[in-house]
Structure formats: structure tokens, C-alpha cells
Amino acid sequence: MAVVHIDNLAPGMILSRNVCDRSGRMLLPSGAELTEKHFSIFRMWGVLEVEIVGEGVAEDPEAPQHEEVDPELLRQARAEVERLFVHNDPEHPAVKELLRICTERRAANAS
């Protein structure tokens, strides 16, 4: 079993656990084979990660490679971004994902 971010999912992967939205409503049962349509549903309902059968996902060789960012620079970027999102619920899946993306971009631009 591996927890995989929805950006790294591929059609044909098998769920090892039920996928539920924030309120606990089941969107897809364990054992289901994923299709492109499921990825849209996950995004629509704020699902960012799912558990799949297997040991993880092989990196896409054509995907852009991320450089290692200095942890201190990442911490500073996170603090700056959190100030921008101070009036948002940091536990909401969409806000959590925006925080992650903005933090990565701000740290990358600062280095």
C-alpha cells in the first residue's frame, strides 16, 4: 500500500482503501481500478491523496525535476505564505494544496 498524490496517479492503479470526501462520503470503494474520470472527481471533491495497491509510484522520467531546497529557505517561504493565507482554513484540502504549491514556488524563486 502506498499513499499517492493525485498528480502522480495513473489509469489502471488499484485502490487499497476507500476514497472519501471531507464529510466522509465514499466516492470510490477499495479495489476499484482508477480511470482519468476518477482524477477529475477527486479534484472536484478536494481529495489530494489516495492509497493504492503496491509499493509506490515510479517517477516519470519526463516530469520536471525538483531541486533540493534549503530547509531554512523552505521554512521562511512557508511563514510568508501562511501570512497571506491567514484568513483561510489551513486544513481544507484546496487551501492545503495551495499552501504547498505557493511555498514550493516562493522557495524556488528565492534560491
Side-chain angles (χ1 to χ4, degrees), residues 1 14 22 43 66 90:
M1 161 180 74
I14 307 295
R22 285 188 76 196
R43 284 184 180 86
H66 298 285

Side-chain angles (χ1 to χ4, degrees), residues 19-86:
V19 176
C20 299
D21 68 6
R22 285 188 76 196
S23 65
R25 177 183 8 206
M26 186 171 64
L27 301 175
L28 205 58
S30 65
E33 184 174 333
L34 296 176
T35 65
E36 290 290 337
K37 181 179 178 182
H38 295 130
F39 307 153
S40 298
I41 292 169
F42 295 159
R43 284 184 180 86
M44 185 175 10
W45 288 100
V47 175
L48 300 177
E49 299 174 330
V50 299
E51 290 186 29
I52 60 153
V53 173
E55 292 300 317
V57 179
E59 290 293 320
D60 181 358
E62 304 209 2
Q65 298 299 316
H66 298 285
E67 296 178 21
E68 285 296 317
V69 179
D70 176 28
E72 179 61 22
L73 191 59
L74 199 56
R75 187 193 62 72
Q76 290 173 355
R78 178 67 183 207
E80 291 171 10
V81 170
E82 284 177 347
R83 282 195 301 273
L84 296 173
F85 285 81
V86 70

Side-chain angles (χ1 to χ4, degrees), residues 7 64 66-67 69 73-74 76-78 80-81 97-111:
D7 291 339
H66 298 285
E67 296 178 21
V69 179
L73 191 59
L74 199 56
Q76 290 173 355
R78 178 67 183 207
E80 291 171 10
V81 170
E97 182 68 358
L98 281 171
L99 283 167
R100 183 187 68 79
I101 291 168
C102 291
T103 300
E104 287 178 1
R105 288 186 180 173
R106 182 156 297 213
N109 290 336
S111 59

